[in-house]
Amino acid sequence: MTRSHWMVHLVGGLTLWCLWFVLLYGGLGIMCSVASPPLAAGQWTWINGVLLILTLAFTVLLVTLARWCWYRQETEPSELQVYVRLSSALYGMSAFAVLAVGLPVGVLPPCA
Amino acid sequence: MLKRLANSLVVASSLFLTACSGPMSTLDPAGPSARMVSGLWWGMFVVGTLVLVGVVWLWWHAMQRDGQSTADEQLQEKQNRWVIWGGIALPTAAITVLLAFGIPAGHRMLPWPAGNVMEVHVEARQWYWQVHYPEHDIELLNEIYIPVNTPIDFHLTSQDVIHSFWVPRLGGKLDMIPGRTNVLRLEADAPGTYQGQCAEFCGRAHAFMKFEVIALSAEDFAAWQQEHEEEPKDER
Amino acid sequence: MSADQLTARMHAIWANLPGWGQLAAVNHTSIGKRFMVTGAVFFVIGGVLAMLLRTQLALPMQTIIDADAYNQLFTMHGTVMMFLFAIPILEGLALYMIPKLIGARDLVFPRISSLGYYSYLFGGIILMSSLFLGVAPDSGWFMYTPLSSAEFSPGPGSDFWLLGITFVEISAMAAGVELTVSILKSRAPGMTLTKMPIFCWYILAMALMIVFGFPPLILASILLELERAVGMPFFAVAGGGDPILWQHLFWLFGHPEVYIIFLPAAAVISTVIPVFAGRPIIGYRWLVLAIILTAFISFGLWVHHMFTVGIPQLAQAFFSIASMMVAIPTAIQVFVWVATLWHGRVTYNLPMLWVFGFLMVFVCGGLTGVMLALVPFNWQVHDTHFVVAHLHYVLIGGMLYPLIAGIYYWLPHFSGRMPSLRMGLWGFWLTFIGMNATFLLMHLTGLLGMPRRIFTYSGDMGWSWLNLLSSVGGFVMAFGLGLVILDIILHFRFGEKAKPNPWQADTLEWATGTPPTPYNFASIPDIDTRHPLWEKPELMTSIPAGEHRLATIEHGRREILGTSAITGKLQAIYHLPTNSYLPLLAALSLAVVCIGLLIRVYPMALVGLLVAAFFLFRWSWENGSHPAMAPPTPDEDPSLPLHSRTTDGPGRWGMIVTLMADGALYLALIFGWLYLWTVSPEWQMPGESLLSVPVLLVSGVLVTVATLLFHRLTAALNQGQAHGLQMKLWLVTFVGFVHLALLITALVQAPLAITESAHDAVLFFVVIYLLFHSLLVTVVTALQALRVKYGYVSARYPYEPNVVRPLWSYTLGIYWCSVATFIFLPMVWGA
């Protein structure tokens, strides 16, 4: 693997987090403007469902990447190990951030 | 001795209560929304103070002590312990608790459908408030009459710049934005006059853009309504 | 050559010109100091404004200052403190420190430093002049529309803000780009990213945050100015715009901006603590992690400034949780600092006192910040004095205290003299007590319901005693800060002479001399440790003695070492430009543009623009092997070439980072488009494309052809084939011009009602944006062709086409992306 490859991983997790955040917030806005379910429906609407699936998909992806990086530690030259470990931690934290920020999807109604 | 202590406690707590009361005090709630928020505040205040004191004490102690005896081999482990407990676990726990109280509170403040909800429309302009009761065709200026113990949905909009509708003793504020209508659910527990003020900077007379919410008992409100509906409109 | 001769010759090459020639200075030490001094002057002005505000609020129903003046004062207080003090002074510190910390003699784009400074100075003066003319902006530092739009703010106040601030932002963008490239590409050999002083990680993050964070505000300012001046309704509901779009764009910048201010301040803390704890920082990697987390997550918080706008609660919850999560990296840093102190032995002195003050005040501000992130609580205290108290705790605690700690720490470096303890102590305690007296109880003022930005209040609200106390505290604090400033000024005369490396610090800046030489390092050592001066104290003498790299100066060039971004492997010698008046002249012409737009004398603005373009192109001309830069010399070492003899160099990196900023602006534009389309209440989407699709497609094919041709010719050039290079470049230029002509045709033919419809206005703006890039890249290509003719670009000097290459790719990318997003997407989706 090249060195710049690890630079990509260093920012990869949080870039994915940002992307997910844009999809989450933008998607909510667009879905609410297209077909807004009534408030009485509470949090069990199709919009929450879509956002929940999106959140879980990103969490799984980020956890997978974190694990992948973690197991790459041994195979990389020693001067790069620090970036590998940092990348793994950052993927893990991004997964946590996705899950934590996405949590209210199961609690709050979407468009009010 | 005990009596003096009790006396001073009474004085102290009454001082405290006076300090927290006021015509626009969020700490002197008169409705369910404001009460929830004031409860949240006191909880956060206590926990926040504890955290502040704890961190400052740690820091102060760290500056006093001579820690250079720590062997380098132990440091890696120690540093991880500091960061994982103080840097990650502490804020995560605090945030979790906060959200466990905060999100349900916000949930309850939503304008949920209910039987006895009353609708009041408020339009802001530089620098006054036009109030309209759609069900009764009543128009008011800078004052809003509401019945107690009834959820009121305020439909808020603006005709010029952005304003913000705020009656601190009843609940949170909501912006009034040209081109859209926001709905704010408030409720008053007891009859009385509650001051409101524009909270979003709106130009020269922003400081004087005030209004009053007058909560009346059910009977008084019915009487007021009747009186106003009978009045011919063009007299006002 | 003896060490003395070396020093003398180095001085001759690196020193600023004497007398008025100082105006041509490009040296980072000079520019950094100018930024900091100018920032301090603006701080005093902003402080005076604050004292006027506190005087008016001291008692209820006062009439010392009327509503109009008060609105101008608080708007200017916020604007000056944020844009003219906090950001520039920290940029100045970063510009001053970074090369010294990474073992370089200057930043990689010295003329850009100078342009940045003059943009800041002139923009600041233009903005301040509005205050003295009595027409200062008065819609708040956040400039919410429609209050700031032409209808409700008819005077020139808002224009002063929009144009002045945009001008000032050139300096931030300049600093963002050159700090990024300098940190990545000009470190001492062997200094890998993880061997950098932690300060550099913070500044790298700050610089990249500027690159991505400022463009949304620049875009918003341009759009609002267009709305005010031309009537394009981007934010007006009646024309299909939306005032909330302004808030989104403003806070999309505004929240990262808080961390742009905090990160360099935390950098100071992380630098000062290990030195006075007498041990390396504990948890360097944790800090790096925290820095990266902060830099990203701070871009996902902006809506917490907009919780009362009426956005769905679910969306608010996302931002609420993200806002709270930023407490995690902050807490990591706090505990890293505590751990370092815990396992060290602390020496007490003035910088540490300010560090301690920082901790108390900043932690308090951070805690109220977490509270404010809780949505229901925010609904109550938003736009009250609780928020005023919170933000002053965060900004004073998180920026001013560390800044003063840093200034005291580096005073011996600036002046060669030590700070005095006695006056400094008084300054600290008065500031600390005054600050808490002002703002601690202001939390309560807010909880008791006092809104922000009201110029007076009635006496029966229960706010009177709190306000009086805050005002008294404010004056105590002002007095304390006055003492600090006086102390610093007096120390230049009365301070005790400093010994070399007076605090026994570990980082390289102390090896540049106290005060530093203009070239920092007479020779550049290889660095393989985070603590060079602790582990190799002999560097203090061996560097000035010329025992390391690059100790030759006979060629008369300003040279630094170019290294690889991650591993710090030596790659090339970067030759830097010497003193130049071009940045000053360019900034002066831009000031003419700014004033022309302000007084709406558009021919004047146009002339200014053309003159500015002339100076900027002249600047780009004096590059590479041009006689004013690095003409060929006989003794060039092919194993360590000058960068203009290679295919990679700082300019290419600078181009890429600039395009990242440009891309951020473009993304903000797309966000605005999609936002208005989906959210704006009166938005009208026409049934079919207003721009001729066939013309757009042909024009697009041409820009594609031009880009491909350019890529092929650069690839060939990099292989050493320069046959017919000039002709090929002229061909690309020609294709570019035809593409441009077609695009202009499409625009002129389109029936756009730009003052009636937000849709048409956005479309018009997009086409202008594309035209600007196409024109720029075409003209630059023409200049390259000319440079081939003069022999500045050839098989031996293949560098510059490699710099231009990413610009072609970008132009191509935005063209097709725009056609897809602004033309095809609405056609496919349906109006």
Side-chain angles (χ1 to χ4, degrees):
Chain A
M1 291 277 171
T2 59
R3 301 200 153 86
S4 51
H5 164 88
W6 285 112
M7 290 331 273
V8 173
H9 285 292
L10 214 48
V11 292
L14 286 157
T15 308
L16 282 173
W17 180 81
C18 286
L19 177 69
W20 164 80
F21 198 85
V22 168
L23 290 175
L24 184 79
Y25 178 57
L28 178 65
I30 290 172
M31 287 190 284
C32 279
S33 75
V34 172
S36 174
L39 177 59
Q43 74 269 42
W44 307 114
T45 69
W46 67 279
I47 295 182
N48 294 64
V50 172
L51 297 179
L52 191 66
I53 292 167
L54 181 77
T55 302
L56 294 178
F58 267 82
T59 314
V60 171
L61 174 68
L62 285 164
V63 169
T64 314
L65 284 164
R67 278 172 53 97
W68 181 79
C69 279
W70 189 254
Y71 290 118
R72 296 285 309 204
Q73 268 187 73
E74 258 78 292
T75 60
E76 291 297 318
S78 60
E79 85 254 27
L80 290 182
Q81 280 190 5
V82 53
Y83 302 109
V84 184
R85 214 173 306 159
L86 265 174
S87 305
S88 179
L90 281 164
Y91 277 122
M93 292 217 160
S94 310
F96 174 71
V98 166
L99 204 59
V101 174
L103 222 55
V105 165
V107 185
L108 288 167
C111 304
Chain B
M1 180 67 201
L2 263 180
K3 204 177 165 195
R4 269 176 63 189
L5 191 69
N7 273 343
S8 50
L9 264 179
V10 168
V11 172
S13 57
S14 66
L15 259 178
F16 182 72
L17 285 177
T18 352
C20 289
S21 67
M24 284 181 61
S25 172
T26 63
L27 304 179
D28 186 10
S33 290
R35 183 161 308 106
M36 267 187 276
V37 174
S38 126
L40 281 173
W41 155 252
W42 287 115
M44 292 191 298
F45 174 66
V46 171
V47 176
T49 310
L50 288 177
V51 173
L52 177 67
V53 171
V55 172
V56 172
W57 179 83
L58 260 184
W59 187 285
W60 183 249
H61 187 65
M63 284 180 62
Q64 304 295 324
R65 77 191 282 276
D66 175 6
Q68 281 193 325
S69 54
T70 323
D72 281 355
E73 304 84 70
Q74 299 174 333
L75 272 179
Q76 183 64 39
E77 197 193 328
K78 281 190 195 284
Q79 94 182 29
N80 288 345
R81 215 181 302 155
W82 275 108
V83 171
I84 288 168
W85 287 108
I88 299 176
L90 173 72
T92 309
I95 292 168
T96 312
V97 174
L98 198 53
L99 289 171
F101 286 98
I103 289 190
H107 194 261
R108 259 174 277 156
M109 291 179 201
L110 282 169
W112 294 101
N116 57 341
V117 180
M118 194 177 115
E119 201 176 304
V120 178
H121 291 195
V122 184
E123 257 183 34
R125 284 164 200 270
Q126 280 180 329
W127 288 272
Y128 58 93
W129 314 79
Q130 279 182 311
V131 184
H132 173 67
Y133 292 73
E135 290 148 38
H136 306 283
D137 202 25
I138 301 174
E139 303 269 347
L140 293 174
L141 207 63
N142 293 340
E143 51 178 13
I144 308 171
Y145 285 82
I146 59 166
V148 290
N149 294 325
T150 311
I152 316 287
D153 277 356
F154 290 99
H155 288 242
L156 309 171
T157 190
S158 163
Q159 291 301 318
D160 40 44
V161 302
I162 298 175
H163 303 272
S164 191
F165 183 89
W166 188 34
V167 193
R169 294 191 59 202
L170 298 186
K173 61 183 72 64
L174 194 57
D175 289 356
M176 313 173 82
I177 297 160
R180 43 179 99 185
T181 303
N182 283 331
V183 180
L184 176 69
R185 164 78 53 93
L186 291 177
E187 188 180 326
D189 289 339
T193 302
Y194 304 106
Q195 287 208 25
Q197 182 161 4
C198 176
E200 180 64 67
F201 177 61
C202 58
R204 182 177 294 152
H206 171 57
F208 299 127
M209 189 168 162
K210 300 179 185 181
F211 63 99
E212 277 179 350
V213 174
I214 299 115
L216 302 173
S217 65
E219 308 84 70
D220 289 350
F221 184 74
W224 173 84
Q225 225 171 37
Q226 210 165 19
E227 184 187 326
H228 271 254
E229 272 170 320
E230 282 162 6
E231 241 173 87
K233 275 203 86 176
D234 48 19
E235 264 185 29
R236 282 196 309 276
Chain C
M1 197 191 284
S2 77
D4 285 345
Q5 277 174 310
L6 177 70
T7 317
R9 187 95 174 99
M10 280 277 180
H11 250 286
I13 300 296
W14 283 88
N16 297 341
L17 301 174
W20 287 101
Q22 287 288 347
L23 293 176
V26 295
N27 181 288
H28 79 104
T29 302
S30 310
I31 301 289
K33 280 197 279 197
R34 288 175 198 182
F35 260 103
M36 286 190 272
V37 171
T38 315
V41 171
F42 281 120
F43 174 66
V44 172
I45 296 175
V48 170
L49 298 180
M51 289 305 103
L52 291 172
L53 298 174
R54 279 304 346 155
T55 310
Q56 163 66 14
L57 288 181
L59 298 169
M61 298 312 277
Q62 290 206 102
T63 50
I64 304 169
I65 296 169
D66 65 12
D68 284 329
Y70 187 89
N71 295 347
Q72 294 187 21
L73 289 176
F74 82 70
T75 302
M76 287 302 278
H77 169 68
T79 307
V80 167
M81 286 303 195
M82 282 293 195
F83 292 103
L84 302 183
F85 163 63
I87 302 176
I89 203 167
L90 290 169
E91 276 163 21
L93 183 66
L95 296 176
Y96 180 94
M97 295 306 309
I98 284 298
K100 300 184 177 79
L101 286 168
I102 59 177
R105 289 173 179 159
D106 204 336
L107 295 159
V108 288
F109 308 124
R111 291 180 295 195
I112 299 260
S113 321
S114 171
L115 176 73
Y117 175 70
Y118 288 121
S119 303
Y120 162 48
L121 181 67
F122 297 153
I125 290 173
I126 288 172
L127 193 59
M128 289 315 301
S129 67
S130 71
L131 197 62
F132 297 104
L133 297 171
V135 291
D138 58 358
S139 340
W141 84 282
F142 44 92
M143 293 292 282
Y144 275 9
T145 55
L147 184 60
S148 60
S149 57
E151 189 184 350
F152 299 102
S153 294
S158 300
D159 302 316
F160 270 102
W161 193 96
L162 294 165
L163 295 165
I165 290 301
T166 305
F167 199 10
V168 171
E169 270 158 16
I170 295 175
S171 76
M173 295 308 303
V177 172
E178 72 172 334
L179 286 169
T180 306
V181 180
S182 295
I183 294 173
L184 289 178
K185 291 301 290 176
S186 65
R187 300 193 303 272
M191 189 187 272
T192 62
L193 272 187
T194 47
K195 291 279 178 343
M196 287 198 302
I198 194 71
F199 191 93
C200 302
W201 272 103
Y202 279 104
I203 299 301
L204 180 60
M206 171 200 87
L208 284 168
M209 287 179 72
I210 290 179
V211 166
F212 291 104
F214 274 62
L217 179 62
I218 295 178
L219 173 73
S221 303
I222 296 173
L223 296 183
L224 184 52
E225 185 54 34
L226 282 173
E227 178 175 302
R228 288 178 55 85
V230 186
M232 295 161 87
F234 298 108
F235 306 108
V237 175
D242 189 2
I244 304 302
L245 175 61
W246 167 269
Q247 300 191 14
H248 277 294
L249 291 175
F250 184 85
W251 293 116
L252 204 47
F253 143 84
H255 203 82
E257 195 248 13
V258 175
Y259 291 89
I260 289 170
I261 292 173
F262 171 64
L263 283 179
V268 173
I269 301 289
S270 294
T271 306
V272 171
I273 283 182
V275 171
F276 292 119
R279 61 156 309 115
I281 194 120
I282 287 180
Y284 178 93
R285 270 173 282 172
W286 281 112
L287 283 183
V288 173
L289 185 90
I291 293 166
I292 298 176
L293 274 173
T294 310
F296 274 89
I297 293 188
S298 62
F299 279 88
L301 315 180
W302 79 92
V303 168
H304 75 212
H305 297 268
M306 302 165 58
F307 278 162
T308 62
V309 161
I311 290 165
Q313 249 196 48
L314 180 58
Q316 297 188 37
F318 302 149
F319 288 95
S320 160
I321 299 174
S323 308
M324 293 181 184
M325 278 185 40
V326 111
I328 293 176
T330 313
I332 292 178
Q333 293 176 66
V334 168
F335 279 89
V336 162
W337 296 326
V338 172
T340 307
L341 292 170
W342 193 275
H343 296 291
R345 188 191 297 137
V346 176
T347 2
Y348 289 88
N349 50 42
L350 215 42
M352 275 312 263
L353 196 58
W354 284 95
V355 169
F356 186 69
F358 148 81
L359 173 91
M360 280 182 73
V361 174
F362 179 72
V363 170
C364 183
L367 287 166
T368 52
V370 174
M371 297 177 190
L372 279 168
L374 194 70
V375 176
F377 182 65
N378 186 290
W379 289 338
Q380 272 289 25
V381 292
H382 175 73
D383 269 335
T384 68
H385 273 69
F386 188 91
V387 177
V388 181
H390 157 73
L391 76 92
H392 282 92
Y393 262 83
V394 175
L395 290 174
I396 295 178
M399 182 269 166
L400 187 65
Y401 280 44
L403 177 73
I404 296 178
I407 288 175
Y408 273 124
Y409 174 70
W410 280 300
L411 263 190
H413 199 274
F414 299 143
S415 67
R417 291 171 187 271
M418 302 298 285
S420 83
L421 201 57
R422 198 180 319 150
M423 207 158 152
L425 275 179
W426 275 99
F428 171 78
W429 284 112
L430 285 175
T431 308
F432 187 76
I433 294 167
M435 189 249 144
N436 283 295
T438 314
F439 296 110
L440 190 65
L441 282 169
M442 199 182 277
H443 291 106
L444 183 59
T445 321
L447 288 167
L448 293 184
M450 180 162 170
R452 293 173 83 172
R453 299 162 186 140
I454 55 173
F455 80 103
T456 192
Y457 51 94
S458 65
D460 55 2
M461 307 299 287
W463 308 332
S464 308
W465 65 281
L466 292 164
N467 274 297
L468 184 61
L469 210 69
S470 285
S471 293
V472 172
F475 280 96
V476 173
M477 177 181 167
F479 189 66
L481 285 169
L483 273 186
V484 171
I485 293 172
L486 191 67
D487 184 28
I488 291 170
I489 293 171
L490 288 180
H491 115 285
F492 277 90
R493 199 175 145 74
F494 299 108
E496 203 183 309
K497 283 263 189 250
K499 292 186 294 253
N501 196 1
W503 311 115
Q504 303 302 316
D506 57 336
T507 38
L508 276 179
E509 82 273 27
W510 296 101
T512 59
T514 40
T517 55
Y519 48 86
N520 295 341
F521 306 97
S523 61
I524 298 174
D526 288 19
I527 298 294
D528 54 3
T529 160
R530 277 177 213 151
H531 316 287
L533 295 192
W534 281 349
E535 291 177 18
K536 296 179 184 159
E538 67 276 11
L539 287 174
M540 291 292 289
T541 50
S542 65
I543 289 174
E547 292 172 19
H548 304 278
R549 292 178 192 269
L550 227 51
T552 50
I553 191 72
E554 289 77 19
H555 45 65
R557 287 186 294 264
R558 294 189 176 191
E559 288 184 344
I560 61 172
L561 289 174
T563 46
S564 68
I566 301 172
T567 51
K569 206 179 288 164
L570 190 56
Q571 286 179 326
I573 294 176
Y574 294 167
H575 52 80
L576 304 180
T578 180
N579 299 314
S580 167
Y581 286 100
L582 284 167
L584 174 62
L585 294 171
L588 274 175
S589 345
L590 288 174
V592 172
V593 177
C594 190
I595 293 168
L597 293 174
L598 254 180
I599 55 176
R600 309 222 164 152
V601 181
Y602 297 120
M604 173 177 158
L606 188 66
V607 171
L609 195 64
L610 292 175
V611 175
F614 168 78
F615 285 127
L616 291 171
F617 282 124
R618 176 68 210 172
W619 168 338
S620 80
W621 189 255
E622 291 181 7
N623 255 329
S625 55
H626 185 276
M629 184 60 111
T633 45
D635 55 344
E636 286 175 29
D637 173 10
S639 66
L640 190 60
L642 295 174
H643 75 266
S644 62
R645 279 65 162 157
T646 69
T647 58
D648 193 10
R652 206 174 88 85
W653 286 70
M655 172 64 84
I656 291 169
V657 178
T658 310
L659 290 175
M660 286 177 1
D662 201 354
L665 188 139
Y666 183 70
L667 282 180
L669 184 61
I670 289 188
F671 166 78
W673 165 258
L674 295 176
Y675 181 86
L676 289 180
W677 185 359
T678 51
V679 177
S680 178
E682 309 270 326
W683 176 262
Q684 298 284 333
M685 186 72 91
E688 55 191 40
S689 169
L690 298 177
L691 293 161
S692 157
V693 175
V695 176
L696 284 180
L697 289 179
V698 176
S699 184
V701 170
L702 288 175
V703 71
T704 315
V705 169
T707 309
L708 288 177
L709 281 175
F710 195 86
H711 276 262
R712 280 193 51 180
L713 75 87
T714 3
L717 185 63
N718 293 352
Q719 303 283 320
Q721 297 159 15
H723 183 69
L725 183 60
Q726 201 189 150
M727 267 324 291
K728 289 185 203 162
L729 282 165
W730 284 122
L731 177 66
V732 176
T733 310
F734 175 73
V735 178
F737 269 117
V738 179
H739 148 74
L740 204 56
L742 282 175
L743 193 54
I744 293 174
T745 315
L747 182 64
V748 173
Q749 285 179 344
L752 296 177
I754 55 168
T755 54
E756 273 118 60
S757 149
H759 167 271
D760 294 11
V762 176
L763 208 56
F764 180 79
F765 186 83
V766 172
V767 178
I768 295 292
Y769 178 82
L770 294 180
L771 279 174
F772 171 77
H773 286 83
S774 297
L775 180 66
L776 181 69
V777 75
T778 309
V779 171
V780 167
T781 307
L783 286 175
Q784 286 296 308
L786 276 178
R787 290 178 75 80
V788 174
K789 189 174 163 205
Y790 282 85
Y792 303 147
V793 173
S794 64
R796 199 180 157 206
Y797 308 116
Y799 176 57
E800 291 171 23
N802 284 290
V803 178
V804 180
R805 197 169 160 176
L807 184 58
W808 271 109
S809 307
Y810 183 80
T811 310
L812 180 70
I814 52 169
Y815 188 87
W816 285 115
C817 185
S818 303
V819 171
T821 322
F822 296 90
I823 307 291
F824 289 157
L825 191 62
M827 282 163 71
V828 174
W829 190 275

